[in-house]
DNA sequence: TAGATTGTTAATCGATTAACAATC
DNA sequence: TAGATTGTTAATCGATTAACAATC
């Protein structure tokens, strides 16, 4: 029997509920801000208040992977930051490839927020020969033909797809064959990946749609609340 | 009594479950692709397959706001597209303001995907005088000081925040006072808005963290699946 | 008609919240 | 000690799935 009934505090044996992941990132961002504001400790109540969720939710999320709190006191920001980074996998750095150096890809190459959270843009790729061979924001641009060779040589494990929708699936397939571990797809199209590769889709037009949907939904709520009286 | 027990087919009186909104956008994107590929009809099974969700889920989502299907046949793509756009609010166009014309803001001004889904970038704002007064990608750049006046004059209802994290909350507050209806925040910080304004947060570093989290979670799953045997 | 697929109900599953003893 | 806050259990809530009669 290689395993006890209770999980060890800091290396969970079971997958965490899906919804927890995103909140962990929000906790981390908030904790980093609190710490840089000079706050040494905080509480589930405070954290929940800042993020608009309940204190019980915060504590529950954190207990999935250990016991970091001090009853009567709260949590030490630095300890909790370290713990969450371990869970998210950002306690070490990751190399990232950018595929597509058009409008959006170029902007993302210049975004400093990635490096701050342990992601290093290690290479960019495009089919436009006029872009190849020259760095953009200190990231070298390679021809897409060298994708497999370059990704393997530099040991890149993650990629962002910022190519036109029509090319996204083919690029994704080529990335998979390099042995990549995860992909963020910015192209406005659903792509299919095999089981073993993580996929996050970010569609900017869809985010805007969620805004108008929420605005209309608010009207629908109001209507049903005041209706029938 | 102004209302029957059953909801009318195409104008729901109750707010839709939160999780449904995002899937509606995915259905819409897929339907538009199917239609442009010449598919006149599709089915819940096919749609679910393309998006990796169950056929029951698709049908359930669609029945929240009506009966569009033809038993034995499926759904007409064009009808369903129209219906979903009505629900999302993209059956008419929306004017959008971009606040912050740095790296990211500029890239977003050039993104054609917004216009395709009914969002028109109507004005951009920055504090950098050297940018003010000249259009970028056909969008005029105004000084942030004229935010209130310009947003009201152009009847802009939505905004994107692409300013540094430290300025995001103040910009958000100023937007609220113009009477804006919704905001997408690209700054990596939590901002607080009053009840009546919709807020979507898009943090690109957090999306990357979700990728590494998912990759590690996969390992945790495998470990617990093969463990204890 | 036989085959396909919807709309809908009931059962299941998972996630959130409330409550409180244990702890500092 | 009194006050604050954790970790955890049980109750609640909401979302997903399975199943199937109704329909074309």
């Amino acid at each position: 029997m290689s395993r006890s009934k209770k999980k060890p505090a800091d290396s969970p044996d079971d997958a965490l509920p899906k919804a927890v992941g995103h909140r962990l990132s929000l906790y981390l961002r908030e904790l980093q801000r609190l710490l840089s504001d000079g706050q040494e400790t905080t509480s589930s109540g405070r954290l929940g208040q800042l993020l608009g969720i309940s204190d019980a939710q915060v504590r529950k999320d954190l207990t999935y992977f250990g016991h970091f709190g001090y009853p009567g006191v709260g949590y030490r920001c630095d300890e909790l930051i370290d713990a969450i980074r371990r869970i998210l996998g950002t306690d070490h750095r990751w190399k990232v490839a950018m595929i597509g150096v058009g409008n959006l890809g170029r902007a993302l190459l210049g975004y400093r927020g990635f490096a701050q959270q342990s992601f290093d843009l290690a290479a960019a790729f495009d089919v436009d020969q006029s872009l190849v061979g020259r760095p953009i924001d200190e990231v070298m641009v390679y021809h897409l033909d060298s994708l497999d060779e370059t990704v393997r040589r530099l040991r890149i494990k993650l990629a962002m797809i910022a190519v036109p929708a029509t090319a996204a699936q083919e690029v994704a397939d080529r990335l998979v064959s390099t042995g990549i571990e995860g992909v963020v797809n910015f192209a406005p199209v659903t792509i299919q990946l095999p089981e073993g590769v993580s996929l996050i889709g970010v569609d900017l037009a869809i985010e805007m749609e969620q805004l108008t949907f929420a605005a209309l939904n608010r009207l629908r709520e109001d209507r049903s609340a005041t209706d029938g009286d």
Side-chain angles (χ1 to χ4, degrees), chain A residues 8-49:
Chain A
D10 46 14
S11 65
D13 263 356
D14 295 307
L16 300 166
K18 176 127 192 323
V20 176
H22 195 255
R23 284 196 300 268
L24 289 179
S25 280
L26 295 177
Y27 300 154
L28 176 58
R29 195 174 69 176
E30 212 55 58
L31 286 161
Q32 288 171 329
R33 203 182 51 78
L34 286 168
L35 186 63
S36 76
D37 282 1
Q39 296 279 324
E40 303 248 310
T41 65
T42 191
S43 66
S44 59
R46 180 101 187 85
L47 222 36
Q49 188 180 39

mmCIF file of all heavy atoms in Angstrom, chain A residues 8-49:
data_model
loop_
_atom_site.group_PDB
_atom_site.id
_atom_site.type_symbol
_atom_site.label_atom_id
_atom_site.label_comp_id
_atom_site.label_asym_id
_atom_site.label_seq_id
_atom_site.Cartn_x
_atom_site.Cartn_y
_atom_site.Cartn_z
ATOM 1 N N PRO A 8 -1.165 13.832 1.544
ATOM 2 C CA PRO A 8 -0.086 14.607 2.145
ATOM 3 C C PRO A 8 -0.359 16.090 1.905
ATOM 4 O O PRO A 8 -0.966 16.464 0.899
ATOM 5 C CB PRO A 8 1.157 14.149 1.380
ATOM 6 C CG PRO A 8 0.661 13.465 0.154
ATOM 7 C CD PRO A 8 -0.716 12.993 0.433
ATOM 8 N N ALA A 9 0.108 16.914 2.822
ATOM 9 C CA ALA A 9 -0.295 18.322 2.822
ATOM 10 C C ALA A 9 0.092 19.079 1.561
ATOM 11 O O ALA A 9 -0.671 19.908 1.077
ATOM 12 C CB ALA A 9 0.300 19.020 4.031
ATOM 13 N N ASP A 10 1.247 18.804 0.989
ATOM 14 C CA ASP A 10 1.670 19.687 -0.087
ATOM 15 C C ASP A 10 1.934 18.998 -1.421
ATOM 16 O O ASP A 10 2.594 19.541 -2.280
ATOM 17 C CB ASP A 10 2.878 20.506 0.360
ATOM 18 C CG ASP A 10 3.890 19.618 1.043
ATOM 19 O OD1 ASP A 10 3.769 18.383 0.913
ATOM 20 O OD2 ASP A 10 4.793 20.159 1.692
ATOM 21 N N SER A 11 1.412 17.814 -1.606
ATOM 22 C CA SER A 11 1.486 17.228 -2.945
ATOM 23 C C SER A 11 0.260 16.355 -3.161
ATOM 24 O O SER A 11 0.295 15.161 -2.962
ATOM 25 C CB SER A 11 2.766 16.417 -3.110
ATOM 26 O OG SER A 11 2.756 15.308 -2.246
ATOM 27 N N PRO A 12 -0.842 16.981 -3.531
ATOM 28 C CA PRO A 12 -2.108 16.256 -3.636
ATOM 29 C C PRO A 12 -2.017 15.120 -4.638
ATOM 30 O O PRO A 12 -1.436 15.262 -5.701
ATOM 31 C CB PRO A 12 -3.087 17.316 -4.109
ATOM 32 C CG PRO A 12 -2.252 18.412 -4.661
ATOM 33 C CD PRO A 12 -0.939 18.358 -3.990
ATOM 34 N N ASP A 13 -2.592 13.982 -4.278
ATOM 35 C CA ASP A 13 -2.572 12.820 -5.146
ATOM 36 C C ASP A 13 -3.756 12.823 -6.108
ATOM 37 O O ASP A 13 -3.747 12.120 -7.105
ATOM 38 C CB ASP A 13 -2.626 11.537 -4.302
ATOM 39 C CG ASP A 13 -1.227 10.972 -4.096
ATOM 40 O OD1 ASP A 13 -0.273 11.535 -4.655
ATOM 41 O OD2 ASP A 13 -1.114 9.969 -3.385
ATOM 42 N N ASP A 14 -4.777 13.633 -5.793
ATOM 43 C CA ASP A 14 -5.938 13.674 -6.667
ATOM 44 C C ASP A 14 -5.997 15.004 -7.394
ATOM 45 O O ASP A 14 -5.545 16.029 -6.895
ATOM 46 C CB ASP A 14 -7.209 13.476 -5.839
ATOM 47 C CG ASP A 14 -7.248 12.081 -5.222
ATOM 48 O OD1 ASP A 14 -7.093 11.107 -5.972
ATOM 49 O OD2 ASP A 14 -7.391 11.986 -3.997
ATOM 50 N N ALA A 15 -6.581 14.964 -8.568
ATOM 51 C CA ALA A 15 -6.740 16.188 -9.330
ATOM 52 C C ALA A 15 -7.637 17.153 -8.550
ATOM 53 O O ALA A 15 -8.579 16.744 -7.887
ATOM 54 C CB ALA A 15 -7.371 15.872 -10.677
ATOM 55 N N LEU A 16 -7.307 18.415 -8.623
ATOM 56 C CA LEU A 16 -8.114 19.428 -7.947
ATOM 57 C C LEU A 16 -9.333 19.752 -8.797
ATOM 58 O O LEU A 16 -9.277 19.675 -10.018
ATOM 59 C CB LEU A 16 -7.274 20.690 -7.755
ATOM 60 C CG LEU A 16 -6.008 20.482 -6.919
ATOM 61 C CD1 LEU A 16 -5.084 21.680 -7.066
ATOM 62 C CD2 LEU A 16 -6.372 20.263 -5.469
ATOM 63 N N PRO A 17 -10.448 20.093 -8.162
ATOM 64 C CA PRO A 17 -11.637 20.487 -8.930
ATOM 65 C C PRO A 17 -11.278 21.577 -9.924
ATOM 66 O O PRO A 17 -10.514 22.487 -9.619
ATOM 67 C CB PRO A 17 -12.578 21.033 -7.853
ATOM 68 C CG PRO A 17 -12.168 20.358 -6.610
ATOM 69 C CD PRO A 17 -10.684 20.148 -6.737
ATOM 70 N N LYS A 18 -11.851 21.470 -11.087
ATOM 71 C CA LYS A 18 -11.526 22.373 -12.183
ATOM 72 C C LYS A 18 -11.680 23.847 -11.836
ATOM 73 O O LYS A 18 -10.852 24.675 -12.173
ATOM 74 C CB LYS A 18 -12.436 22.007 -13.360
ATOM 75 C CG LYS A 18 -12.334 22.879 -14.564
ATOM 76 C CD LYS A 18 -12.071 22.062 -15.809
ATOM 77 C CE LYS A 18 -11.680 22.969 -16.958
ATOM 78 N NZ LYS A 18 -12.408 24.242 -16.957
ATOM 79 N N ALA A 19 -12.757 24.158 -11.119
ATOM 80 C CA ALA A 19 -13.059 25.556 -10.830
ATOM 81 C C ALA A 19 -12.036 26.204 -9.913
ATOM 82 O O ALA A 19 -11.892 27.421 -9.883
ATOM 83 C CB ALA A 19 -14.450 25.668 -10.230
ATOM 84 N N VAL A 20 -11.308 25.380 -9.168
ATOM 85 C CA VAL A 20 -10.362 25.910 -8.195
ATOM 86 C C VAL A 20 -9.177 26.593 -8.881
ATOM 87 O O VAL A 20 -8.685 27.621 -8.420
ATOM 88 C CB VAL A 20 -9.865 24.800 -7.250
ATOM 89 C CG1 VAL A 20 -8.803 25.321 -6.307
ATOM 90 C CG2 VAL A 20 -11.029 24.214 -6.462
ATOM 91 N N GLY A 21 -8.731 26.048 -9.987
ATOM 92 C CA GLY A 21 -7.541 26.538 -10.671
ATOM 93 C C GLY A 21 -7.550 28.034 -10.920
ATOM 94 O O GLY A 21 -6.604 28.743 -10.576
ATOM 95 N N HIS A 22 -8.631 28.503 -11.506
ATOM 96 C CA HIS A 22 -8.696 29.917 -11.846
ATOM 97 C C HIS A 22 -8.658 30.799 -10.610
ATOM 98 O O HIS A 22 -7.999 31.837 -10.590
ATOM 99 C CB HIS A 22 -9.957 30.204 -12.673
ATOM 100 C CG HIS A 22 -9.924 31.527 -13.357
ATOM 101 N ND1 HIS A 22 -10.666 32.605 -12.911
ATOM 102 C CD2 HIS A 22 -9.226 31.970 -14.432
ATOM 103 C CE1 HIS A 22 -10.435 33.640 -13.706
ATOM 104 N NE2 HIS A 22 -9.568 33.289 -14.630
ATOM 105 N N ARG A 23 -9.356 30.350 -9.573
ATOM 106 C CA ARG A 23 -9.348 31.160 -8.345
ATOM 107 C C ARG A 23 -7.968 31.194 -7.706
ATOM 108 O O ARG A 23 -7.572 32.212 -7.136
ATOM 109 C CB ARG A 23 -10.396 30.647 -7.353
ATOM 110 C CG ARG A 23 -11.817 31.044 -7.748
ATOM 111 C CD ARG A 23 -12.791 30.885 -6.589
ATOM 112 N NE ARG A 23 -12.843 29.525 -6.116
ATOM 113 C CZ ARG A 23 -13.709 28.605 -6.559
ATOM 114 N NH1 ARG A 23 -14.598 28.918 -7.486
ATOM 115 N NH2 ARG A 23 -13.685 27.390 -6.078
ATOM 116 N N LEU A 24 -7.215 30.103 -7.811
ATOM 117 C CA LEU A 24 -5.861 30.110 -7.261
ATOM 118 C C LEU A 24 -5.030 31.223 -7.898
ATOM 119 O O LEU A 24 -4.279 31.916 -7.212
ATOM 120 C CB LEU A 24 -5.180 28.755 -7.484
ATOM 121 C CG LEU A 24 -5.712 27.596 -6.646
ATOM 122 C CD1 LEU A 24 -4.960 26.314 -6.981
ATOM 123 C CD2 LEU A 24 -5.601 27.894 -5.161
ATOM 124 N N SER A 25 -5.175 31.381 -9.205
ATOM 125 C CA SER A 25 -4.442 32.449 -9.883
ATOM 126 C C SER A 25 -4.868 33.820 -9.358
ATOM 127 O O SER A 25 -4.043 34.723 -9.194
ATOM 128 C CB SER A 25 -4.683 32.395 -11.396
ATOM 129 O OG SER A 25 -3.875 31.403 -11.993
ATOM 130 N N LEU A 26 -6.153 33.978 -9.095
ATOM 131 C CA LEU A 26 -6.628 35.257 -8.569
ATOM 132 C C LEU A 26 -6.084 35.493 -7.149
ATOM 133 O O LEU A 26 -5.679 36.608 -6.819
ATOM 134 C CB LEU A 26 -8.153 35.298 -8.549
ATOM 135 C CG LEU A 26 -8.842 35.244 -9.922
ATOM 136 C CD1 LEU A 26 -10.353 35.208 -9.765
ATOM 137 C CD2 LEU A 26 -8.430 36.432 -10.782
ATOM 138 N N TYR A 27 -6.070 34.444 -6.332
ATOM 139 C CA TYR A 27 -5.501 34.578 -4.986
ATOM 140 C C TYR A 27 -4.049 35.014 -5.088
ATOM 141 O O TYR A 27 -3.601 35.912 -4.386
ATOM 142 C CB TYR A 27 -5.563 33.253 -4.212
ATOM 143 C CG TYR A 27 -6.943 32.693 -3.996
ATOM 144 C CD1 TYR A 27 -7.143 31.329 -3.813
ATOM 145 C CD2 TYR A 27 -8.064 33.516 -3.977
ATOM 146 C CE1 TYR A 27 -8.405 30.799 -3.603
ATOM 147 C CE2 TYR A 27 -9.333 32.996 -3.782
ATOM 148 C CZ TYR A 27 -9.499 31.636 -3.601
ATOM 149 O OH TYR A 27 -10.750 31.116 -3.415
ATOM 150 N N LEU A 28 -3.316 34.345 -5.976
ATOM 151 C CA LEU A 28 -1.896 34.635 -6.132
ATOM 152 C C LEU A 28 -1.668 36.097 -6.495
ATOM 153 O O LEU A 28 -0.861 36.792 -5.885
ATOM 154 C CB LEU A 28 -1.305 33.719 -7.218
ATOM 155 C CG LEU A 28 0.158 33.957 -7.587
ATOM 156 C CD1 LEU A 28 1.051 33.813 -6.361
ATOM 157 C CD2 LEU A 28 0.608 32.995 -8.690
ATOM 158 N N ARG A 29 -2.422 36.573 -7.481
ATOM 159 C CA ARG A 29 -2.268 37.957 -7.936
ATOM 160 C C ARG A 29 -2.558 38.928 -6.793
ATOM 161 O O ARG A 29 -1.829 39.901 -6.586
ATOM 162 C CB ARG A 29 -3.235 38.186 -9.107
ATOM 163 C CG ARG A 29 -2.965 39.411 -9.908
ATOM 164 C CD ARG A 29 -3.885 39.474 -11.122
ATOM 165 N NE ARG A 29 -5.267 39.718 -10.751
ATOM 166 C CZ ARG A 29 -6.260 39.885 -11.631
ATOM 167 N NH1 ARG A 29 -6.009 39.817 -12.932
ATOM 168 N NH2 ARG A 29 -7.476 40.115 -11.221
ATOM 169 N N GLU A 30 -3.601 38.624 -6.029
ATOM 170 C CA GLU A 30 -3.992 39.505 -4.926
ATOM 171 C C GLU A 30 -2.953 39.470 -3.807
ATOM 172 O O GLU A 30 -2.602 40.498 -3.235
ATOM 173 C CB GLU A 30 -5.371 39.061 -4.414
ATOM 174 C CG GLU A 30 -6.239 40.171 -3.886
ATOM 175 C CD GLU A 30 -6.432 41.282 -4.895
ATOM 176 O OE1 GLU A 30 -6.934 41.027 -6.015
ATOM 177 O OE2 GLU A 30 -6.075 42.419 -4.556
ATOM 178 N N LEU A 31 -2.460 38.269 -3.511
ATOM 179 C CA LEU A 31 -1.463 38.115 -2.448
ATOM 180 C C LEU A 31 -0.169 38.848 -2.799
ATOM 181 O O LEU A 31 0.457 39.476 -1.940
ATOM 182 C CB LEU A 31 -1.166 36.627 -2.225
ATOM 183 C CG LEU A 31 -2.260 35.849 -1.498
ATOM 184 C CD1 LEU A 31 -2.095 34.353 -1.732
ATOM 185 C CD2 LEU A 31 -2.242 36.164 -0.007
ATOM 186 N N GLN A 32 0.221 38.780 -4.064
ATOM 187 C CA GLN A 32 1.438 39.464 -4.487
ATOM 188 C C GLN A 32 1.278 40.972 -4.315
ATOM 189 O O GLN A 32 2.204 41.659 -3.900
ATOM 190 C CB GLN A 32 1.756 39.106 -5.949
ATOM 191 C CG GLN A 32 2.267 37.668 -6.090
ATOM 192 C CD GLN A 32 2.385 37.200 -7.527
ATOM 193 O OE1 GLN A 32 1.617 37.620 -8.401
ATOM 194 N NE2 GLN A 32 3.321 36.299 -7.782
ATOM 195 N N ARG A 33 0.087 41.452 -4.606
ATOM 196 C CA ARG A 33 -0.164 42.880 -4.439
ATOM 197 C C ARG A 33 -0.153 43.256 -2.955
ATOM 198 O O ARG A 33 0.456 44.239 -2.548
ATOM 199 C CB ARG A 33 -1.504 43.267 -5.072
ATOM 200 C CG ARG A 33 -1.600 44.745 -5.442
ATOM 201 C CD ARG A 33 -2.970 45.088 -6.010
ATOM 202 N NE ARG A 33 -4.043 44.618 -5.149
ATOM 203 C CZ ARG A 33 -4.431 45.234 -4.030
ATOM 204 N NH1 ARG A 33 -3.833 46.338 -3.648
ATOM 205 N NH2 ARG A 33 -5.401 44.723 -3.302
ATOM 206 N N LEU A 34 -0.822 42.447 -2.132
ATOM 207 C CA LEU A 34 -0.855 42.715 -0.695
ATOM 208 C C LEU A 34 0.557 42.741 -0.123
ATOM 209 O O LEU A 34 0.916 43.638 0.645
ATOM 210 C CB LEU A 34 -1.691 41.653 0.031
ATOM 211 C CG LEU A 34 -3.209 41.747 -0.136
ATOM 212 C CD1 LEU A 34 -3.897 40.496 0.382
ATOM 213 C CD2 LEU A 34 -3.756 42.985 0.567
ATOM 214 N N LEU A 35 1.361 41.740 -0.518
ATOM 215 C CA LEU A 35 2.722 41.653 0.002
ATOM 216 C C LEU A 35 3.541 42.878 -0.410
ATOM 217 O O LEU A 35 4.250 43.458 0.406
ATOM 218 C CB LEU A 35 3.398 40.373 -0.501
ATOM 219 C CG LEU A 35 4.783 40.076 0.090
ATOM 220 C CD1 LEU A 35 4.698 39.865 1.597
ATOM 221 C CD2 LEU A 35 5.399 38.852 -0.585
ATOM 222 N N SER A 36 3.406 43.287 -1.663
ATOM 223 C CA SER A 36 4.184 44.444 -2.115
ATOM 224 C C SER A 36 3.651 45.739 -1.500
ATOM 225 O O SER A 36 4.324 46.763 -1.494
ATOM 226 C CB SER A 36 4.185 44.529 -3.650
ATOM 227 O OG SER A 36 2.952 45.023 -4.109
ATOM 228 N N ASP A 37 2.448 45.685 -0.958
ATOM 229 C CA ASP A 37 1.908 46.831 -0.212
ATOM 230 C C ASP A 37 2.331 46.784 1.255
ATOM 231 O O ASP A 37 1.885 47.602 2.058
ATOM 232 C CB ASP A 37 0.367 46.850 -0.259
ATOM 233 C CG ASP A 37 -0.155 47.386 -1.582
ATOM 234 O OD1 ASP A 37 0.672 47.721 -2.455
ATOM 235 O OD2 ASP A 37 -1.383 47.463 -1.744
ATOM 236 N N GLY A 38 3.140 45.778 1.598
ATOM 237 C CA GLY A 38 3.654 45.697 2.963
ATOM 238 C C GLY A 38 2.836 44.854 3.916
ATOM 239 O O GLY A 38 3.139 44.795 5.108
ATOM 240 N N GLN A 39 1.782 44.199 3.411
ATOM 241 C CA GLN A 39 0.975 43.324 4.262
ATOM 242 C C GLN A 39 1.673 41.976 4.431
ATOM 243 O O GLN A 39 1.864 41.268 3.465
ATOM 244 C CB GLN A 39 -0.392 43.066 3.607
ATOM 245 C CG GLN A 39 -1.248 44.301 3.465
ATOM 246 C CD GLN A 39 -1.956 44.651 4.750
ATOM 247 O OE1 GLN A 39 -2.360 43.774 5.489
ATOM 248 N NE2 GLN A 39 -2.061 45.941 5.027
ATOM 249 N N GLU A 40 1.993 41.622 5.658
ATOM 250 C CA GLU A 40 2.660 40.335 5.897
ATOM 251 C C GLU A 40 1.663 39.195 5.951
ATOM 252 O O GLU A 40 1.957 38.078 5.568
ATOM 253 C CB GLU A 40 3.429 40.387 7.219
ATOM 254 C CG GLU A 40 4.457 41.489 7.299
ATOM 255 C CD GLU A 40 5.859 40.927 7.329
ATOM 256 O OE1 GLU A 40 6.112 40.025 8.137
ATOM 257 O OE2 GLU A 40 6.692 41.385 6.520
ATOM 258 N N THR A 41 0.484 39.479 6.503
ATOM 259 C CA THR A 41 -0.532 38.434 6.629
ATOM 260 C C THR A 41 -1.868 38.939 6.094
ATOM 261 O O THR A 41 -2.075 40.134 5.928
ATOM 262 C CB THR A 41 -0.753 38.017 8.103
ATOM 263 O OG1 THR A 41 -1.288 39.124 8.816
ATOM 264 C CG2 THR A 41 0.539 37.568 8.745
ATOM 265 N N THR A 42 -2.755 37.977 5.826
ATOM 266 C CA THR A 42 -4.119 38.328 5.443
ATOM 267 C C THR A 42 -5.034 37.199 5.895
ATOM 268 O O THR A 42 -4.565 36.220 6.454
ATOM 269 C CB THR A 42 -4.229 38.588 3.925
ATOM 270 O OG1 THR A 42 -5.495 39.159 3.641
ATOM 271 C CG2 THR A 42 -4.078 37.289 3.130
ATOM 272 N N SER A 43 -6.333 37.350 5.646
ATOM 273 C CA SER A 43 -7.281 36.325 6.096
ATOM 274 C C SER A 43 -8.190 35.912 4.949
ATOM 275 O O SER A 43 -8.273 36.593 3.925
ATOM 276 C CB SER A 43 -8.131 36.874 7.238
ATOM 277 O OG SER A 43 -8.961 37.921 6.774
ATOM 278 N N SER A 44 -8.878 34.792 5.132
ATOM 279 C CA SER A 44 -9.798 34.334 4.096
ATOM 280 C C SER A 44 -10.902 35.360 3.867
ATOM 281 O O SER A 44 -11.346 35.560 2.739
ATOM 282 C CB SER A 44 -10.409 32.983 4.478
ATOM 283 O OG SER A 44 -11.099 33.070 5.709
ATOM 284 N N GLY A 45 -11.303 36.032 4.943
ATOM 285 C CA GLY A 45 -12.350 37.043 4.818
ATOM 286 C C GLY A 45 -11.905 38.220 3.952
ATOM 287 O O GLY A 45 -12.619 38.653 3.053
ATOM 288 N N ARG A 46 -10.695 38.688 4.214
ATOM 289 C CA ARG A 46 -10.153 39.825 3.467
ATOM 290 C C ARG A 46 -9.972 39.464 1.982
ATOM 291 O O ARG A 46 -10.353 40.206 1.100
ATOM 292 C CB ARG A 46 -8.800 40.195 4.086
ATOM 293 C CG ARG A 46 -8.103 41.354 3.438
ATOM 294 C CD ARG A 46 -8.274 42.633 4.234
ATOM 295 N NE ARG A 46 -7.736 43.794 3.520
ATOM 296 C CZ ARG A 46 -8.435 44.475 2.616
ATOM 297 N NH1 ARG A 46 -9.675 44.138 2.352
ATOM 298 N NH2 ARG A 46 -7.904 45.510 1.996
ATOM 299 N N LEU A 47 -9.379 38.307 1.758
ATOM 300 C CA LEU A 47 -9.111 37.852 0.396
ATOM 301 C C LEU A 47 -10.420 37.699 -0.375
ATOM 302 O O LEU A 47 -10.539 38.124 -1.526
ATOM 303 C CB LEU A 47 -8.374 36.507 0.467
ATOM 304 C CG LEU A 47 -7.205 36.198 -0.441
ATOM 305 C CD1 LEU A 47 -6.341 37.405 -0.719
ATOM 306 C CD2 LEU A 47 -6.363 35.080 0.186
ATOM 307 N N GLY A 48 -11.409 37.094 0.282
ATOM 308 C CA GLY A 48 -12.698 36.914 -0.355
ATOM 309 C C GLY A 48 -13.345 38.244 -0.707
ATOM 310 O O GLY A 48 -13.874 38.425 -1.797
ATOM 311 N N GLN A 49 -13.244 39.180 0.217
ATOM 312 C CA GLN A 49 -13.816 40.510 0.015
ATOM 313 C C GLN A 49 -13.210 41.194 -1.213
ATOM 314 O O GLN A 49 -13.916 41.748 -2.047
ATOM 315 C CB GLN A 49 -13.521 41.336 1.267
ATOM 316 C CG GLN A 49 -14.188 42.689 1.333
ATOM 317 C CD GLN A 49 -13.812 43.396 2.632
ATOM 318 O OE1 GLN A 49 -12.657 43.320 3.081
ATOM 319 N NE2 GLN A 49 -14.777 44.065 3.241
#
